Amino acid sequence: MPPDSPSSRLSAPGRRTVLGAAAAASALAALPGTATAAPGVPAARRNPGRKKPRALHGGGDLGPNVLVFDPSTPNIQGRLDEIFRQQESAQFGTGRYQLLFKPGTYHGLNAQIGFYTSIAGLGLSPDDTTINGDITVDAGWFGGNATQNFWRSAENLAVVPVNGTNRWAVSQAAPFRRMHVRGNLNLAPTGYGWSSGGYIADSRIDGQVQPYSQQQWYTRDSAIGGWLNGVWNMVFSGVEGAPAQAFPNPPYTTLATTPVSREKPFLYLDGGEYRVFLPEKRTNARGVSWGNGTPRGTSLPLSRFYVAEPGVSAATLNQALAQGLHLLLTPGIHHVDQPVRVDRAGTVVLGLGYATIVPDNGVTALKVADVDGVRLAGFLIDAGPVNSATLLEVGPPGASRDHSADPTTVQDVFVRIGGAGPGKATTSMVVNSRHTIVDHTWVWRADHGDGVGWETNRADYGVVVNGHDVLATGLFVEHFNKYDVQWFGERGRTVFFQNEKAYDAPDQAAIQNGSVKGYAAYRVGDGVTTHEGWGLGSYCYYNVDPTIVQHHGFAAPNRPGVRFHDLLVVSLGGNGQYERVINDTGSPTSGTSTVPSTVVSYP
């Protein structure tokens, strides 16, 4: 550890500082119907004035906010710097950018990545596109505190850091996927200010991963040269080189493999043609998916995708889906006045540059039918000012088909209520389809920004799982008025959970749950007989009324088939306290020391 690193702070970090940045239908429903004509009326006269919509074409231009570079492109650094200046502190701005690098070798770059900016290579392997330089996230815009470095990503690149260490100081909704770092990876900002967790998948870090002040982190199906330290909750599944199981001291939760995984779809170049690669499902995965050359899976040409620009109507998106096209959402804000309906098995909905869907008039943004193999990836759903009953619905109510051979995956799909303006939703994400894999999501009721208040951005429930056999790998859900996660399906599994209870509860009465003090962050339904979770944490920071008491972070039926490993609750600076960890088990938090209370195994 460098001599200037605050090693004394690593075991007991200060509260997460977040308040200072407050300034900073069917798929054919919209198509013309076919009326029953009176006998003898020629077909040409039926529905006069209403024409069948013209067939939509796939492929096309990716739009002005997708920037494509090759090694001969002049002044790449200048263009990167220009975008970063715009996006560095634009936490709730409307700018969205995708930076794409064609295969080849690039020299002397420092790609600083700001809000709503995604950087990615266009090869089949990360090593096809090498940057001799850095891909940097730091926190100068927020005084060295990285706890608000949200909504940015890096994918499918090899990086040779200038000084041997690449800095990626992020918090939620900032995935580091399919990367090869030929050196070390530092997850803390300059000066070792706080950062609040993140996610690595399908990546190879040749050197050491250095979390320093990171409060929690999840790493999946990767290979690392070493891991430096842990603060509260560091979780690994399928990671070669991961530290041994040791929770709570040090706080390492380590699974040898990931039960089921399927990597996120990605755009790449095949000669001069854009295609989208669809990685295959892996069972009991360990290590990267691309380590032995070409990854396993299939691909689709861009001509099979409707390339959706901001301003295209939901009716047009649904027409494209009904025609059999997939959707590629280009960077920007996409308003929908009816649900986007994914009714066909194997459909891909892929966003570039944090493409954002905003539902108008209280509709659900996107609904998936009870079909095999849908892939939702790489976009943000932002609640509108009129309350939506749900924002994302994976499978209709009562979905029951077996999708074990070809599950639906929800990857880097983020949900936000408030922050960019008033927003409301009763339930943010509902998973009804069996065997769904939710692989990295941040479902967030905003605690700062515009349109924030206990009733202003009311959102009672974060994620509700009704489907059986659902797996969550990297589940971040925060600040809901009632339950953050409710799980009613059988045989559910969660590997890594990060939660903060709502900061802004006005008093104890506002969170009272019958006779129970507060709503659990993660609740397993009373009727569930089989469930399992590894590496789950809940934190409270009741800054409006620090006297609030939360009985527990986790609630579950007390039966042998419902099992938890490595649980913790933390009071941030004594702003509110937990009486127990899970049900009536676990020691209370106390004082202002911000020391976790832990339960290693339950029951």
Side-chain angles (χ1 to χ4, degrees), residues 22-46:
S26 70
L28 299 173
L31 304 183
T34 302
T36 301
V41 177
R45 291 176 54 194
R46 298 173 191 171

Side-chain angles (χ1 to χ4, degrees), residues 53-89:
R54 181 176 300 173
L56 299 169
H57 297 289
D61 188 81
L62 299 179
N65 287 7
V66 176
L67 284 75
V68 182
F69 303 102
D70 65 47
S72 66
T73 302
N75 195 25
I76 297 175
Q77 187 65 55
R79 193 71 179 102
L80 296 175
D81 291 346
E82 178 186 356
I83 293 170
F84 180 67
R85 283 193 296 270
Q86 177 182 319
Q87 299 300 116
E88 179 183 13
S89 59

Side-chain angles (χ1 to χ4, degrees), residues 133-134 159-167 181-186 205-210:
D134 295 275
V159 184
V160 184
V162 171
N163 67 356
T165 300
N166 191 82
R167 186 183 302 277
V181 179
R182 299 177 192 168
N184 302 319
L185 184 64
N186 183 343
I205 316 300
D206 291 346
Q208 185 183 60
V209 181
Q210 303 163 344

Side-chain angles (χ1 to χ4, degrees), residues 82-129:
E82 178 186 356
I83 293 170
F84 180 67
R85 283 193 296 270
Q86 177 182 319
Q87 299 300 116
E88 179 183 13
S89 59
Q91 182 171 179
F92 298 111
T94 58
R96 304 285 188 273
Y97 290 95
Q98 177 75 54
L99 311 175
L100 296 175
F101 286 76
K102 293 182 179 181
T105 302
Y106 299 77
H107 297 281
L109 295 182
N110 181 17
Q112 299 184 81
I113 306 301
F115 284 100
Y116 312 110
T117 305
S118 298
I119 185 171
L122 285 170
L124 262 181
S125 166
D127 289 325
D128 293 340
T129 311

Side-chain angles (χ1 to χ4, degrees), residues 291-306:
N292 296 315
T294 303
R296 298 176 67 89
T298 59
S299 71
L300 295 167
L302 191 63
S303 61
R304 294 281 304 280
F305 285 78
Y306 179 72

Side-chain angles (χ1 to χ4, degrees), residues 360-383:
D360 295 331
N361 304 318
V363 303
T364 298
L366 192 148
K367 293 187 176 185
V368 180
D370 192 10
V371 295
D372 276 353
V374 171
R375 304 182 195 227
L376 309 179
F379 56 89
L380 170 65
I381 297 174
D382 210 350

Side-chain angles (χ1 to χ4, degrees), residues 152-480:
R152 62 199 76 198
S153 67
E155 300 182 50
N156 203 30
L157 290 161
V159 184
V160 184
V162 171
N163 67 356
T165 300
N166 191 82
R167 186 183 302 277
W168 185 256
V170 298
S171 290
Q172 289 80 3
F176 198 79
R177 283 187 182 269
R178 208 177 160 72
M179 296 288 289
H180 185 186
V181 179
R182 299 177 192 168
N184 302 319
L185 184 64
N186 183 343
L187 304 178
T190 301
Y192 304 95
W194 301 121
S195 36
S196 185
Y199 172 93
I200 293 171
D202 201 24
S203 294
R204 182 179 299 279
I205 316 300
D206 291 346
Q208 185 183 60
V209 181
Q210 303 163 344
Y212 294 115
S213 54
Q214 278 286 353
Q215 295 165 351
Q216 66 277 317
W217 197 277
Y218 175 49
T219 307
R220 178 182 64 72
D221 298 353
S222 295
I224 61 176
W227 191 273
L228 178 63
N229 71 284
V231 177
W232 292 339
N233 192 30
M234 303 287 163
V235 179
F236 310 83
S237 68
V239 178
E240 298 170 354
Q245 169 71 31
F247 189 89
N249 186 27
Y252 299 147
T253 299
T254 303
L255 286 71
T257 61
T258 303
V260 186
S261 59
R262 187 173 68 191
E263 298 305 330
K264 178 184 172 185
F266 62 91
L267 194 67
Y268 75 103
L269 276 174
D270 181 11
E273 178 191 21
Y274 284 112
R275 299 182 69 90
V276 173
F277 193 82
L278 307 178
E280 70 173 19
K281 186 186 75 170
R282 297 200 289 168
T283 301
N284 296 321
R286 181 174 174 84
V288 300
S289 69
W290 47 270
N292 296 315
T294 303
R296 298 176 67 89
T298 59
S299 71
L300 295 167
L302 191 63
S303 61
R304 294 281 304 280
F305 285 78
Y306 179 72
V307 180
E309 299 177 357
V312 169
S313 70
T316 299
L317 298 178
N318 283 330
Q319 180 191 345
L321 291 167
Q323 284 182 205
L325 293 171
H326 306 271
L327 292 184
L328 186 72
L329 304 175
T330 62
I333 313 297
H334 300 253
H335 283 265
V336 295
D337 59 1
Q338 60 178 281
V340 176
R341 296 184 179 273
V342 179
D343 293 333
R344 189 183 74 258
T347 299
V348 179
V349 180
L350 176 62
L352 299 179
Y354 284 80
T356 301
I357 303 174
V358 180
D360 295 331
N361 304 318
V363 303
T364 298
L366 192 148
K367 293 187 176 185
V368 180
D370 192 10
V371 295
D372 276 353
V374 171
R375 304 182 195 227
L376 309 179
F379 56 89
L380 170 65
I381 297 174
D382 210 350
V386 178
N387 185 74
S388 294
T390 59
L391 293 172
L392 174 62
E393 185 179 282
V394 182
S400 61
R401 295 179 181 175
D402 186 318
H403 303 298
S404 56
D406 192 7
T408 285
T409 45
V410 182
Q411 300 178 285
D412 300 347
V413 174
F414 308 116
V415 180
R416 179 172 68 193
I417 301 95
K424 291 185 177 182
T426 303
T427 303
S428 292
M429 181 188 298
V430 180
V431 180
N432 294 317
S433 287
R434 293 184 62 188
H435 302 102
T436 299
I437 300 172
V438 180
D439 176 45
H440 190 227
T441 187
W442 185 37
V443 181
W444 185 60
R445 174 182 169 265
D447 59 88
H448 63 276
D450 185 24
V452 170
W454 185 249
E455 297 295 342
T456 305
N457 62 329
R458 182 85 193 186
D460 283 351
Y461 309 110
V463 175
V464 175
V465 179
N466 297 314
H468 299 326
D469 307 290
V470 171
L471 170 66
T473 50
L475 185 60
F476 298 73
V477 188
E478 296 188 302
H479 304 152
F480 285 84

